[in-house]
Each structure stands twice: as structure tokens, then as C-alpha cells.
Amino acid sequence: MMSKPLQISADTAVKLAAQLNVPIEHLMHMPRHILLQKLAELANTEPESGSDKPKDTDR
């Protein structure tokens, strides 16, 4: 069963593909739960980028 393409803008797709290091075509047909998992992994591995908010959530 194929999933339908993600409902995201072209600009967002380009940025996500670059950050996740995957081709845009793969990103657009990636199952939503896989994309969310990869985004969570990316968020956990990237250093905080100057945000004033504390990163302490649900601990």
C-alpha cells in the first residue's frame, strides 16, 4: 500500500530533504510516521540553535 504524498510546500520539502539528507522524491513519499521519527531524531541530535526557551520538556 502506497502512502499519498505529504501535504507540504515545495520550500519545506527542499529544506527537510536537505536536513534529513534524503532525495526530495523519497521525502515526499515517506510514510508520515517515518518522517516524524526522523524529525525527532534530528531534533535530538542537533545542538540548540540560540533558542531562549529551555529544552527541558517532559522530564
Side-chain angles (χ1 to χ4, degrees), residues 29-43:
H29 294 282
M30 188 178 289
R32 176 166 274 140
H33 70 281
I34 300 294
L35 176 60
L36 292 174
Q37 179 182 348
K38 288 186 176 291
L39 289 173
E41 290 170 5
L42 184 66

Side-chain angles (χ1 to χ4, degrees), residues 10-59:
D11 187 46
T12 300
V14 169
K15 289 178 183 177
L16 280 175
Q19 285 188 328
L20 296 174
N21 198 26
V22 297
I24 293 175
E25 296 82 11
H26 290 190
L27 176 77
M28 292 306 293
H29 294 282
M30 188 178 289
R32 176 166 274 140
H33 70 281
I34 300 294
L35 176 60
L36 292 174
Q37 179 182 348
K38 288 186 176 291
L39 289 173
E41 290 170 5
L42 184 66
N44 286 333
T45 58
E46 278 192 355
E48 202 169 319
S49 59
S51 177
D52 291 338
K53 293 181 186 176
K55 198 150 175 120
D56 205 350
T57 56
D58 292 338
R59 285 189 193 192

